[in-house]
Amino acid sequence: TTREAKRLFGFLASGGTAGTIFAGFFSNYMAPIFGAESLLLVVSFFVALAAMMVGIIHSQNQQEGSTNAAPAEEPRYGLRETFKLVQDSPHLQAIAALICLSSIVTTAATWQFNAIAKETIGDKDALTAFLGVVTGFTGLGSFVAQLLITAHLLRRFGVGTALLVL
């Protein structure tokens, strides 16, 4: 439900940020020891673990749903209805445009940064370690911003300015 989503969003976003921090510093530590290619096995392990956790959570939710009385659910929207909602709302159009623009800018900046780093650092294991450190510190900065800046920014300037800063 919307209430559950609002309650869990911060927790889930923090988990993603914590995963980014862990993965970055883990890559920095492990790449010089085992090589960049070996990290793919570690990543595949974590992806399989995440898939198993999703399966467990899904089966638990289905079991709880069959035993509990169904609460009043919010309407579910399909893809067409979702596009219609975005089409009819200028605010949702602005959010979609900002997300699209930030994705393009982020992809271009990441590509340029990786190209410069690859040209500067020749060894792929050292490059992986360097990019791991950058990812780890970027994640830490993001986590600090989530904790210290986001709430104040939203309270003082509202959602529009917060999205602009994003």
Side-chain angles (χ1 to χ4, degrees):
T1 65
T2 304
R3 184 182 309 167
E4 289 173 327
K6 287 178 181 177
R7 184 174 52 86
L8 292 174
F9 180 77
F11 176 73
L12 294 174
S14 297
T17 304
T20 299
I21 295 166
F22 171 78
F25 291 125
F26 182 81
S27 298
N28 174 50
Y29 178 73
M30 298 302 278
I33 297 171
F34 296 106
E37 293 88 359
S38 299
L39 294 179
L40 292 173
L41 293 173
V42 175
V43 169
S44 64
F45 168 76
F46 282 115
V47 168
L49 182 65
M52 289 189 321
M53 290 171 68
V54 167
I56 291 168
I57 292 168
H58 178 69
S59 66
Q60 285 178 349
N61 283 342
Q62 283 195 339
Q63 289 173 358
E64 289 175 9
S66 63
T67 59
N68 296 339
E73 290 192 22
E74 296 179 6
R76 295 181 183 255
Y77 296 103
L79 192 57
R80 284 188 184 142
E81 291 86 4
T82 303
F83 279 127
K84 181 80 170 124
L85 283 173
V86 173
Q87 185 179 17
D88 293 342
S89 170
H91 291 96
L92 291 178
Q93 287 177 359
I95 291 170
L98 284 171
I99 290 171
C100 183
L101 182 63
S102 70
S103 295
I104 292 169
V105 170
T106 301
T107 301
T110 300
W111 183 84
Q112 289 175 337
F113 181 77
N114 288 341
I116 292 168
K118 186 176 181 180
E119 188 175 309
T120 306
I121 304 170
D123 181 43
K124 65 183 168 196
D125 296 337
L127 177 63
T128 301
F130 170 74
L131 292 175
V133 167
V134 169
T135 301
F137 280 115
T138 303
L140 279 174
S142 174
F143 187 70
V144 168
Q146 284 176 357
L147 288 177
L148 302 178
I149 298 171
T150 304
H152 298 296
L153 190 68
L154 285 171
R155 259 193 308 268
R156 182 167 178 149
F157 299 108
V159 174
T161 303
L163 286 172
L164 183 63
V165 170
L166 174 68

